[in-house]
């Protein structure tokens, strides 16, 4: 080995590290590690002065390798690799020791211990780095097509932005129509503009855009490939209607004799037919046949829709179609699902008929809903004289979801307004804390207070029909502790609206897994960085937008949709993307052809080459996970940047006795 | 089933005021083929008060019973009273959770040459034991007098349901509801099934206590019940003995019998009222026997919802 010259930089990170770890001592101590020619500490290594220091030292001291001891590589590995590259050093000759997340933050109460651990980590990095070799990233072309999964407001926004820029989008939506939850609403806070009026033009644009292929009533089944070159298999569920012939005239669903309660679009409060279009402004306009409820699929009889269809578009024998599309980037915009309030039996939803969910109320209040916008009790006729709105149902509650659903305070205010405007009923809001944080929201809160809604600060412990007094007879009684007056209260009302929270979709985990996006502890998709990279995921080329990333309102969903589109457009216009050169390689001269690695590889990146009798890694598919490296019985697979030499050296380094004066491997 | 013997902690109430419970427990045990072997020289569990007065002696008092039970080699102990059950359960659990408490309690037990290792005993309530170990199939099989036509409000009380979920739900348990149906009767939709009966509040504030008692009785009657079924002597006493006082205070005339669940099982098994300790209650329960019908009453048709009514939420599978 020719002469190695390592530079070590220990970061204070303000007080984040220096408050616990004796940074100066670590830097001094590190100067004595083998091959180290310069060791420094610095308040903020990531600042330009820190980076410039590295660049200058590389030139002045002729450094061959660099170690920075600071935060997680997720945070700043790129930063320092770039600094090295600017000074002419191959970026893979750099190594990072994480003495913040792995030392100062987790051992805040043990300064000596944290300092010793920091020394071990630096030593490990110094020992390892000299074995690192220059690597060149692989460049791949980016396909200009994009897949957007989920046609709610977030997905629609993403698709339109990309398509408007001239690139093709496949928009996959599970339901028969795009629109998502927003299509169900009557008005939207805080401006109270009609939800349909602002949404349907966008739906129409998405449905008719020359650059958007709308795959409604479809689902993604498989994803292969990598950034720039994904192959996606989509199942187009059979509508049983020929889209080329159907005009959406409506004769079929008018005449269909089977009525079904619509638990999706009408939130269970209204009905649809067995052949149906979820709502008049649906995009696309074609109906589908609900095979589970259609008489024809049960008894082979009826065929009413077929008889009345003027264009002969009904296709009872239509089958699912499988479509394969090639895309360069993917945006997940799969949204949320509503918390099921039956999980809180003391709120009586499902048992007490005049307890409604927020989504039910949206349909109740919607002019196109089952009551044509009349706010009435479950009997369908009686107008309530008093209404309670319960906030935080299933949110901010350790028994269910600890997160705040972000939109319920505002949606509850919206409900209060609509109830008072349409019925003149007395409205009570039961809240824990009011959260009206975005633009125009606090003003909206004040407006509703001035309109006369009552606010009771206390978590409702139960909703009951068990009356104590004659006045409570026949009413729903909300029991809570009013924390502002410090007394228990019982408030009798005619109607209760539960502001049920926003949850991750039940299948978020599986969907995330398919696309390589993880779910955090709340179950929503995890962004690459919570502050600095909120729409990317850990998988290159896979982005997230809208309520699938966390509970949020429409403005934030739209903003994220646009942000994800901008990220996609940026990679498309670069035309090429660099792939990490960290991947596995098989020494074919020593490969016995046992094929154990073929099946181990989670990315199907290893093929067996019959002609040569050996296995070979497809570098574009390999993600460098190391599974095959560990599995190979002949130990002939090398993981670049994670070689045996490097790992053994790292272990040697961490075994150095950091408390002794002498630097000996123990 | 081979004759199984359970280590049994009857508790003070069953010795005196609620002797009927003890009588029916023994009768039902005999009929179902298991034995209840009383812990030798047991003592009071401290009821609901002692823990709030002086904690360490309270734990030690309860632990003495655990120690005596475990001494006989038992691995589980069954209590028919919810307060006893909770105190035994809680002491065992807390001794395991808090090593310091464990040391202190064992030091106290040491004075009487006793010791207890938490986790040795599984503490069970008689209701849960009968439902789990005897099982619904066996209950159905042994039923000689199906309780057709009777409607029971299943009253669990607050102590068994909380804080730990030893039944199927803390808020709306259904195990006893299911048991009632297995015996041929109907369990009513009784919303206050896990509400507090007032406990010893009758001795502290009559107004508060009668309010709590009254709401439970009213809700049970409103639910269409012919009788309330209890699993705790405290609950039974409050609802039965103080029913008249609560009526006086609220100007009502409720007269609903309050039975122990083993009395209900016993009736269905065909045991005689005398064998089940009938006659010791304030609100007479013998009249119920005449109400039993010879065949199941026709299923009440679900009330038709008017055409303009909105659908009720669809209940999950
Ligand atoms: C009762 C209520 C009232 C509200 N009122 C307001 C308001 O007044 N103002 C406001 O700003 N916000 C409001 N919100 C919040 C608003 O609903 C959300 O911000 C918004 O719907 C989020 O949009 P989205 O596209 O991310 O998700 P969604 O609207 O949930 O759309 C997601 C779409 O993806 C589809 N999908 C899901 N999984 C898949 C899959 N695997 N494959 C294909 N497609 C899939 C779904 O079918 C759906 O169409 C309200 C929310 C509720 C519950």
């Amino acid at each position: 080995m020719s002469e190695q010259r390592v530079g070590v930089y220990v970061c204070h990170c303000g007080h984040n590290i220096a408050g616990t770890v004796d940074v100066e001592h670590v830097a001094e101590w590190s100067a004595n590690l083998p091959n180290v020619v310069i060791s420094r500490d610095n308040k903020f290594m990531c600042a330009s002065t820190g980076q410039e220091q590295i660049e200058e030292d590389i030139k002045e001291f002729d450094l061959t390798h660099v170690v920075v001891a600071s935060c997680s590589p997720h945070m700043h590995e790129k930063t320092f690799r770039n600094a090295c590259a600017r000074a002419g050093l191959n970026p893979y000759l750099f190594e990072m020791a994480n003495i913040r997340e792995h030392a100062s933050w987790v051992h805040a109460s043990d300064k000596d211990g944290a300092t010793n651990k920091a020394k071990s980590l630096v030593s490990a990095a110094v020992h390892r780095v000299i074995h690192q070799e220059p690597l060149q990233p692989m460049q791949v072309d980016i396909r200009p097509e994009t897949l957007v999964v989920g046609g709610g407001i977030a997905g629609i926004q993403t698709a339109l932005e990309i398509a408007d820029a001239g690139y093709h989008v496949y928009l996959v939506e599970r339901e028969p129509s795009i629109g998502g939850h927003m299509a169900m609403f009557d008005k939207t806070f805080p401006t109270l503009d009609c939800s349909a009026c602002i949404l349907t033009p966008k739906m129409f644009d998405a449905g008719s855009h020359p650059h958007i292929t709308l795959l409604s009533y479809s689902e993604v089944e498989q994803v292969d490939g990598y950034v720039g070159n994904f192959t996606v298999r989509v199942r187009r569920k059979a509508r049983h209607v020929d889209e080329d012939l159907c005009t959406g005239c409506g004769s079929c669903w008018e005449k269909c004799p089977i009525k079904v309660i619509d638990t999706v679009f009408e939130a269970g409060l209204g009905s649809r037919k067995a052949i149906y279009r979820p709502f008049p402004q649906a995009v696309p306009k074609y109906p589908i046949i609900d095979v589970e409820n259609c008489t024809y699929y049960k008894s082979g009889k009826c065929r009413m829709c077929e008889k009345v269809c003027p264009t002969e578009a009904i296709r009872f024998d239509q089958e699912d179609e499988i479509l394969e599309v090639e895309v360069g980037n993917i945006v997940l915009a799969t949204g949320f699902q509503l918390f099921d309030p039956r999980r809180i039996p003391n709120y009586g939803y499902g048992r007490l008929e005049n307890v409604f969910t927020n989504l039910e109320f949206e349909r109740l209040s919607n002019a196109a809903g089952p009551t044509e916008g009349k706010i009435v009790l479950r009997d369908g006729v009686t107008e309530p004289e008093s209404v309670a709105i319960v906030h935080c149902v299933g949110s901010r509650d350790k028994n269910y979801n600890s997160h705040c659903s972000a939109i319920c305070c505002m949606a509850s205010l919206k409900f209060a307004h609509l109830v008072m405007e349409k019925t003149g009923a007395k409205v009570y809001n039961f809240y824990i804390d009011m959260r009206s944080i975005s633009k125009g929201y606090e003003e909206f809160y004040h407006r509703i207070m001035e309109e006369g809604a009552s606010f009771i600060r206390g978590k409702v412990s139960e909703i009951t029909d068990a009356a104590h007094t004659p006045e409570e007879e026949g009413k729903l009684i909300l029991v809570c502790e009013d924390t502002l007056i410090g007394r228990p209260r019982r408030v009798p009302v005619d109607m209760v609206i539960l502001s049920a929270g926003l949850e991750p979709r039940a299948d978020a985990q599986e969907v995330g897994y398919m696309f390589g996006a993880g779910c955090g502890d709340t179950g929503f998709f995890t962004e690459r960085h919570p502050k600095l990279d909120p729409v990317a995921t850990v998988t290159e080329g896979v982005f997230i937008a809208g309520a699938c990333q966390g509970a949020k309102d429409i403005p934030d969903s739209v903003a994220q949709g646009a942000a994800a589109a901008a990220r996609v457009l940026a990679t498309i216009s670069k035309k090429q993307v660099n792939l990490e050169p960290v991947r596995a390689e098989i020494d074919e001269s020593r490969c016995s052809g046992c094929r154990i690695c073929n099946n181990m590889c989670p990315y199907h990146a290893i093929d067996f080459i019959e002609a040569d009798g050996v296995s070979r890694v497809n570098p574009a598919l390999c993600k460098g996970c190391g599974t095959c490296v560990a599995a190979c019985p002949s130990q002939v697979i090398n993981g670049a940047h994670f070689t045996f030499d490097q790992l053994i050296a790292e272990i040697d380094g961490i075994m150095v006795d950091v408390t002794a004066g002498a630097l000996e491997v123990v | 089933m081979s004759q199984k013997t359970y280590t049994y902690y009857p508790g003070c109430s069953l010795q005196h005021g609620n002797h009927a419970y003890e009588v029916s427990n023994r009768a039902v045990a005999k009929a179902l083929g298991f034995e209840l072997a009383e812990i030798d020289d047991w003592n009071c569990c401290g009821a609901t008060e002692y823990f709030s007065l002086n904690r360490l002696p309270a734990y030690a008092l309860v632990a003495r019973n655990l120690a005596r039970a475990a001494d006989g080699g038992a691995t589980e102990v069954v209590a028919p009273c919810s307060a006893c059950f909770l105190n035994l359960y809680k002491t065992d659990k807390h001794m395991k959770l808090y090593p310091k408490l464990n040391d202190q309690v064992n030091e106290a037990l040491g004075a009487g040459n006793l010791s207890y290792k938490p986790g040795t005993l599984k503490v069970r309530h008689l209701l849960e034991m009968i439902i789990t170990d005897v099982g619904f199939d066996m209950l159905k099989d042994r039923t000689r007098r199906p309780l057709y036509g009777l409607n029971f409000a299943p009253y669990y009380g607050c102590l068994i349901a909380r804080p730990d979920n030893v039944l199927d739900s803390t808020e709306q348990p259904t195990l006893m509801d299911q048991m009632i149906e297995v015996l041929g009767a109907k369990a009513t939709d009784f919303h206050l099934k896990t509400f507090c009966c007032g406990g010893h509040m009758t001795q502290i504030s009559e107004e508060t206590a009668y309010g709590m008692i009254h709401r439970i009785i009213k809700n049970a009657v409103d639910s269409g019940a012919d009788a309330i079924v209890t699993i705790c002597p405290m609950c039974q006493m409050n609802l039965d003995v103080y029913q008249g006082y609560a009526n006086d205070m609220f100007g009502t005339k409720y007269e609903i019998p309050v039975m122990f669940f083993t009395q209900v099982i016993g009736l269905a098994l065909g045991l005689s009222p005398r064998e089940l300790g009938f006659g010791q209650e304030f609100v007479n329960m013998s009249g119920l026997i005449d109400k039993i019908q010879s065949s199941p009453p026709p299923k009440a048709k679900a009330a038709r919802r008017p055409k303009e009514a909105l659908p009720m939420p669809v209940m999950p599978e």
Side-chain angles (χ1 to χ4, degrees):
Chain A
M1 228 185 264
S2 63
E3 201 204 350
Q4 311 287 3
R5 302 174 61 80
V6 180
V8 175
Y9 302 86
V10 186
C11 181
H12 291 236
C13 196
H15 285 297
N16 277 310
I17 297 173
T20 306
V21 171
D22 184 347
V23 172
E24 279 123 17
H25 171 68
V26 174
E28 271 166 38
W29 179 86
S30 302
N32 294 320
L33 287 168
N35 301 312
V36 173
V37 294
I38 177 76
S39 175
R40 302 178 189 273
D41 61 288
N42 187 303
K43 278 256 178 300
F44 288 105
M45 276 311 295
C46 59
S48 56
T49 48
Q51 295 190 46
E52 280 157 19
Q53 181 81 66
I54 297 178
E55 290 173 50
E56 281 162 26
D57 286 358
I58 290 175
K59 288 175 192 145
E60 188 181 336
F61 296 99
D62 209 7
L63 298 180
T64 57
H65 298 85
V66 171
V67 168
V68 174
S70 57
C71 51
S72 159
H74 280 302
M75 192 79 193
H76 278 310
E77 187 174 58
K78 245 193 190 144
T79 312
F80 299 124
R81 276 184 178 175
N82 288 342
C84 292
R86 282 196 299 275
L89 194 68
N90 183 286
Y92 294 89
L93 301 174
F94 160 80
E95 181 64 15
M96 203 157 173
N98 182 355
I99 60 166
R100 193 178 75 175
E101 282 86 339
H102 288 179
S104 68
W105 279 359
V106 283
H107 304 298
S109 56
D110 178 6
K111 295 192 176 186
D112 288 345
T115 302
N116 282 337
K117 186 169 179 185
K119 284 154 77 178
S120 293
L121 293 169
V122 173
S123 167
V126 168
H127 279 76
R128 175 193 217 279
V129 76
I130 55 167
H131 295 274
Q132 286 174 203
E133 284 157 25
L135 298 171
Q136 298 305 332
M138 195 172 72
Q139 290 208 316
V140 294
D141 291 341
I142 297 262
R143 293 194 66 99
E145 298 87 352
T146 305
L147 172 76
V148 176
V149 185
I153 184 61
I156 293 175
Q157 184 72 25
T158 312
L160 286 175
E161 302 253 359
I162 297 171
D164 283 346
Y167 297 105
H168 200 84
V169 175
Y170 297 96
L171 176 56
V172 175
E173 166 58 53
R174 165 181 290 172
E175 297 295 330
S177 170
I178 54 172
H181 283 97
M182 191 177 165
M184 302 166 70
F185 305 158
D186 178 24
K187 301 271 173 67
T188 54
F189 63 74
T191 44
L192 295 175
D193 36 3
C194 137
S195 191
C197 311
I198 56 178
L199 176 65
T200 42
K202 277 185 183 283
M203 288 169 59
F204 179 81
D205 288 353
S208 56
H209 204 292
H211 293 311
I212 297 181
T213 304
L214 176 55
L215 302 169
S216 61
Y217 203 42
S218 300
E219 252 168 279
V220 174
E221 288 196 332
Q222 196 182 319
V223 183
D224 288 314
Y226 50 92
V227 55
N229 298 273
F230 293 105
T231 307
V232 182
R233 204 166 74 192
V234 182
R235 175 177 294 271
R236 304 206 65 187
K237 293 174 275 186
R239 289 186 104 92
H240 300 288
V241 169
D242 187 332
E243 296 183 19
D244 292 335
L245 297 176
C246 174
T247 60
C249 73
S251 304
C252 54
W253 64 78
E254 271 159 32
K255 291 283 160 21
C256 173
I258 301 296
K259 215 163 131 179
V260 185
I261 291 185
D262 182 355
T263 52
V264 180
F265 187 74
E266 295 290 5
L269 209 59
S271 55
R272 57 166 170 81
K273 294 296 185 60
I275 182 166
Y276 72 105
R277 180 165 82 181
F279 51 105
Q281 307 93 325
V283 171
K285 63 187 173 192
Y286 320 114
I288 66 158
I289 295 181
D290 162 9
V291 174
E292 279 187 10
N293 289 297
C294 170
T295 313
Y296 174 77
Y297 290 95
K298 285 183 186 153
S299 65
K301 301 224 174 67
C302 185
R303 314 190 102 162
M304 180 56 89
C305 48
E306 194 181 45
K307 278 173 221 147
V308 298
C309 177
T311 57
E312 298 182 2
I314 303 293
R315 293 281 174 278
F316 288 117
D317 57 356
Q318 200 178 58
E319 283 180 5
D320 291 3
E321 257 176 72
I322 302 292
L323 197 74
E324 227 165 61
V325 298
E326 311 262 328
V327 296
N329 290 283
I330 297 175
V331 180
L332 300 179
T334 50
F336 66 94
Q337 73 181 27
L338 201 69
F339 171 81
D340 183 348
R342 292 181 195 101
R343 288 171 60 196
I344 312 183
N346 30 325
Y347 282 179
Y349 181 68
R351 193 181 79 85
L352 302 170
E353 65 170 359
N354 289 318
V355 178
F356 292 79
T357 64
N358 40 359
L359 273 184
E360 281 184 308
F361 181 82
E362 290 284 359
R363 297 310 300 154
L364 207 54
S365 181
N366 194 312
T371 58
E372 293 171 346
K374 282 199 282 295
I375 295 175
V376 287
L377 299 182
R378 191 87 59 178
D379 66 8
V381 287
T382 315
E383 221 174 60
E385 285 171 12
S386 48
V387 176
I389 302 167
V390 182
H391 296 216
C392 298
V393 175
S395 310
R396 304 183 68 205
D397 182 337
K398 279 188 185 160
N399 298 312
Y400 307 102
N401 294 310
S402 47
H403 70 259
C404 165
S405 287
I407 62 100
C408 322
C409 280
M410 298 309 294
S412 299
L413 293 171
K414 172 176 79 175
F415 302 156
H417 169 85
L418 292 169
V419 169
M420 291 188 295
E421 182 185 64
K422 293 190 176 185
T423 68
K426 177 90 192 112
V427 174
Y428 303 90
N429 274 276
F430 291 83
Y431 70 102
I432 319 179
D433 297 296
M434 283 304 295
R435 298 192 164 172
S436 46
I437 46 165
S438 290
K439 194 169 168 183
Y441 287 13
E442 186 70 11
E443 293 85 335
F444 187 60
Y445 174 25
H446 280 264
R447 171 177 165 191
I448 305 305
M449 281 199 282
E450 274 156 27
E451 286 176 1
S454 290
F455 290 82
I456 298 172
R457 185 170 182 276
K459 190 166 171 69
V460 173
S461 61
E462 80 163 320
I463 299 165
T464 177
D465 57 351
H468 272 191
T469 59
E471 304 83 70
E472 292 180 353
E473 216 56 67
K475 301 265 182 190
L476 294 170
I477 304 117
L478 288 95
V479 185
C480 82
E481 184 193 348
D482 185 329
T483 57
L484 296 184
I485 59 171
R487 278 225 316 262
R489 280 181 78 169
R490 294 173 63 86
V491 180
V493 296
D494 296 330
M495 177 185 204
V496 178
I497 306 166
L498 301 177
S499 276
L502 275 52
E503 281 186 336
R505 297 230 175 228
D507 62 356
Q509 201 95 34
E510 292 141 55
V511 172
Y513 183 74
M514 185 159 57
F515 291 97
C519 295
D521 46 8
T522 55
F524 292 107
F525 293 145
T526 315
E527 55 289 320
R528 179 174 294 174
H529 189 281
K531 280 152 269 181
L532 303 178
D533 211 352
V535 297
T537 67
V538 289
T539 302
E540 292 282 343
V542 175
F543 301 91
I544 47 179
C548 64
Q549 181 259 354
K552 61 173 63 65
D553 56 16
I554 296 166
D556 283 359
S557 300
V558 170
Q560 279 201 334
R567 293 291 295 273
V568 168
L569 289 171
T571 59
I572 296 176
S573 64
K574 268 203 295 197
K575 295 197 169 60
Q576 285 194 322
V577 68
N578 284 341
L579 292 186
E580 272 275 80
V582 177
R583 58 177 73 82
E585 195 180 1
I586 298 175
D587 179 352
E588 292 179 10
S589 67
R590 287 161 62 213
C591 171
S592 69
C594 74
R595 306 192 198 187
I596 286 177
C597 56
N598 296 198
N599 300 330
M600 285 281 179
C601 177
Y603 306 100
H604 314 293
I606 309 181
D607 295 319
F608 183 69
I609 313 298
E610 290 286 349
D612 305 332
V614 295
S615 294
R616 193 171 293 157
V617 179
N618 177 344
L621 291 178
C622 174
K623 297 249 196 310
C625 71
T627 307
C628 60
V629 179
C632 177
S634 329
Q635 300 196 352
V636 299
I637 309 185
N638 187 36
H641 212 53
F642 290 89
T643 64
F644 290 110
D645 287 355
Q646 289 164 8
L647 296 181
I648 296 297
E650 190 169 4
I651 294 170
D652 284 345
I654 216 156
M655 298 296 277
V656 163
D657 182 359
V658 295
T659 55
L663 293 178
E664 275 173 41
V665 176
V666 290
Chain B
M1 183 167 89
S2 68
Q3 179 104 350
K4 181 163 178 188
T5 302
Y6 289 90
T7 303
Y8 181 61
Y9 176 80
C12 316
S13 318
L14 272 70
Q15 304 281 296
H16 307 286
N18 292 101
H19 195 56
Y21 197 12
E22 177 69 0
V23 170
S24 68
N25 290 348
R26 297 257 168 218
V28 164
K30 194 162 161 227
L32 291 175
F34 62 87
E35 200 162 327
L36 297 172
E38 208 166 306
I39 301 173
D40 182 37
D41 187 26
W42 55 268
N43 54 263
C44 169
C45 76
T48 49
E49 289 85 356
Y50 201 21
F51 275 90
S52 39
L53 293 175
N54 203 340
R55 215 176 277 201
L56 187 57
Y59 278 116
L61 187 75
V62 183
R64 183 175 175 278
N65 295 313
L66 295 171
R68 293 211 67 95
D71 222 18
T75 54
E76 48 186 22
V77 58
V78 178
C81 162
S82 298
C84 298
F85 162 77
L86 186 67
N87 284 342
L88 293 169
Y89 182 88
K90 180 164 75 179
T91 301
D92 176 65
K93 178 174 164 174
H94 287 182
M95 283 174 72
K96 196 190 254 156
L97 270 178
Y98 309 112
K100 193 172 155 211
L101 176 74
N102 185 19
D103 292 346
Q104 290 174 325
V105 167
N106 268 303
E107 197 186 323
L109 292 177
N113 281 331
L114 287 170
S115 71
Y116 177 68
K117 185 168 169 288
T120 310
L121 291 172
K122 184 174 177 207
V123 180
R124 307 178 70 181
H125 190 284
L126 185 63
L127 172 75
E128 178 273 321
M129 180 239 116
I130 290 184
I131 288 177
T132 315
D133 292 9
V134 177
F136 291 145
D137 288 346
M138 166 88 127
L139 283 177
K140 198 177 180 113
D141 205 49
R142 295 281 171 95
T143 295
R144 295 286 168 273
R145 178 173 18 187
L147 305 176
Y148 297 140
L150 290 187
N151 299 299
F152 291 110
Y155 182 47
Y156 297 79
C158 59
L159 293 177
I160 193 172
R162 284 177 284 262
D164 280 9
N165 190 4
V166 293
L167 300 178
D168 52 333
S169 154
T170 42
E171 301 288 350
Q172 294 288 320
T174 61
L175 278 181
M176 185 163 45
D177 302 43
Q178 295 172 45
M179 183 201 83
I180 289 168
E181 307 262 343
V182 163
L183 302 175
K186 196 178 156 314
T188 64
D189 179 14
F190 176 43
H191 191 46
L192 303 191
K193 53 168 75 159
T194 57
F195 273 57
C196 175
C197 70
H200 291 165
M201 192 51 87
T202 45
Q203 311 306 308
I204 302 162
S205 158
E206 291 180 353
E207 197 179 328
T208 311
Y210 298 164
M212 296 169 89
I213 291 167
H214 186 260
R215 68 173 175 182
I216 288 165
I217 291 173
K218 175 176 185 310
N219 191 238
V221 172
D222 287 351
S223 76
D226 302 307
I228 298 174
V229 193
T230 61
I231 61 167
C232 169
M234 181 90 249
C235 299
Q236 196 278 342
M237 182 172 79
N238 275 355
L239 299 185
D240 182 36
V241 176
Y242 294 100
Q243 194 170 131
Y245 295 89
N247 273 333
D248 290 348
M249 186 159 158
F250 288 89
T252 46
K253 292 206 171 81
Y254 293 122
E255 224 175 307
I256 183 166
V258 186
M259 305 175 70
F260 290 106
F261 82 100
T262 43
Q263 293 181 314
V264 177
I265 295 178
L267 263 193
L269 298 183
L271 302 178
S272 73
R274 238 180 64 88
E275 285 172 287
L276 296 168
F278 275 43
Q280 301 184 24
E281 70 278 1
F282 275 56
V283 180
N284 184 294
M285 53 176 83
S286 308
L288 285 173
I289 298 172
D290 301 333
K291 285 197 192 171
I292 300 176
Q293 294 167 13
S294 54
S295 57
K299 265 225 169 90
K301 269 210 203 108
R304 259 186 80 95
R305 296 175 59 76
K307 209 166 84 286
E308 62 278 8
L310 298 163
M312 282 295 282
V314 188
M315 293 305 266
E317 295 298 299

